[in-house]
Amino acid sequence: MFLNRHKNQLVTKDEALPGRPAPAYSVPDRHTVLGNPLEGPYPEGLEVADFGLGCFWGAERRFWQTPGVWTTLVGYQGGHTTHPTYEEVCTGQTGHTEAVRVVYDPSVVSYDELLKVFWESHDPTQGFRQGNDIGTQYRSAIYTHTPAQATAANTSRASYQQVLTTAGYGDITTEILPSANRPFYAAEGYHQQYLEKNPNGYCGIGGTGVSCPVGVASAE
């Protein structure tokens, strides 16, 4: 019902749905697997990373299964509409992609290691789709919180492009942008830890099978 040109073309700010001043729904307090708060407050020393890699149900599970991750939550990021709903995001008229916020302990898992999970968990060369999931909401994205994250993300993209090209894949289409001015809006409660609540639920996440050299080698 949502097929339109915004499935394969990003909406502009002027074209985007207006949104609302506050969320239209509530979000659960705690992670159903890890037991920690979803939206904070987070303990001192933890850091935040934001990734988009297709349908956020399976993407979130990849990260909550990663040692050193303190909590995860899914949401909408990179668009224009304020406090969107899932139905609005699905129209392609908000500009958001489905994203996973990862709160992690850098003394246990590094940002580079999270990048490796990110790159190897999807095909970052597919543009506005991920497998059978088609639309701008499924685009690959990294929204960085610090200059160090931005440097690491761009370095890892260059390194992974080299091995993907050797393996016969095309250009990486992942957008890497600062999270500032690109708010993360937590998704509805039923989306949070969806595959824990629905073990047989849909998971469209699948990588290329090409190992990412993050932390092993860097692009020349």
Side-chain angles (χ1 to χ4, degrees), residues 31-34 53-65 72-74 98 100 121 133 188-206:
H31 198 286
T32 57
V33 179
L34 301 175
L53 53 157
C55 177
F56 51 22
W57 292 345
E60 184 188 21
R61 182 168 63 181
R62 291 291 175 93
F63 286 105
W64 88 52
Q65 292 175 337
T72 59
L73 66 157
V74 297
E98 294 189 14
V100 181
S121 295
D133 293 324
E188 295 83 343
Y190 72 92
H191 289 301
Q192 305 298 335
Q193 299 87 63
Y194 181 87
L195 291 182
E196 169 66 16
K197 303 167 186 173
N198 302 275
N200 297 318
Y202 169 77
C203 176
I205 294 298

Side-chain angles (χ1 to χ4, degrees), residues 15-101:
E15 295 171 326
L17 297 174
R20 50 194 59 80
Y25 49 82
S26 61
V27 177
D29 290 334
R30 291 187 175 270
H31 198 286
T32 57
V33 179
L34 301 175
N36 295 320
L38 289 181
E39 295 189 280
Y42 305 132
E44 186 176 351
L46 299 186
E47 297 182 5
V48 176
D50 295 331
F51 303 105
L53 53 157
C55 177
F56 51 22
W57 292 345
E60 184 188 21
R61 182 168 63 181
R62 291 291 175 93
F63 286 105
W64 88 52
Q65 292 175 337
T66 301
V69 170
W70 193 80
T71 199
T72 59
L73 66 157
V74 297
Y76 315 115
Q77 197 166 13
H80 307 292
T81 301
T82 55
H83 299 287
T85 66
Y86 179 67
E87 288 75 17
E88 290 171 343
V89 172
C90 285
T91 69
Q93 293 179 280
T94 72
H96 294 91
T97 191
E98 294 189 14
V100 181
R101 171 152 288 181

Side-chain angles (χ1 to χ4, degrees), residues 135-219:
T136 56
Q137 80 189 80
Y138 300 113
R139 69 187 184 275
S140 177
I142 302 172
Y143 300 108
T144 60
H145 289 260
T146 65
Q149 284 191 358
T151 297
N154 281 288
T155 298
S156 69
R157 178 172 61 183
S159 295
Y160 200 38
Q161 183 66 72
Q162 289 183 349
V163 294
L164 285 176
T165 299
T166 299
Y169 285 86
D171 292 340
I172 289 174
T173 59
T174 305
E175 63 181 25
I176 300 176
L177 299 168
S179 62
N181 301 320
R182 294 173 181 85
F184 177 97
Y185 298 105
E188 295 83 343
Y190 72 92
H191 289 301
Q192 305 298 335
Q193 299 87 63
Y194 181 87
L195 291 182
E196 169 66 16
K197 303 167 186 173
N198 302 275
N200 297 318
Y202 169 77
C203 176
I205 294 298
T208 60
V210 178
S211 179
C212 178
V214 170
V216 178
S218 59

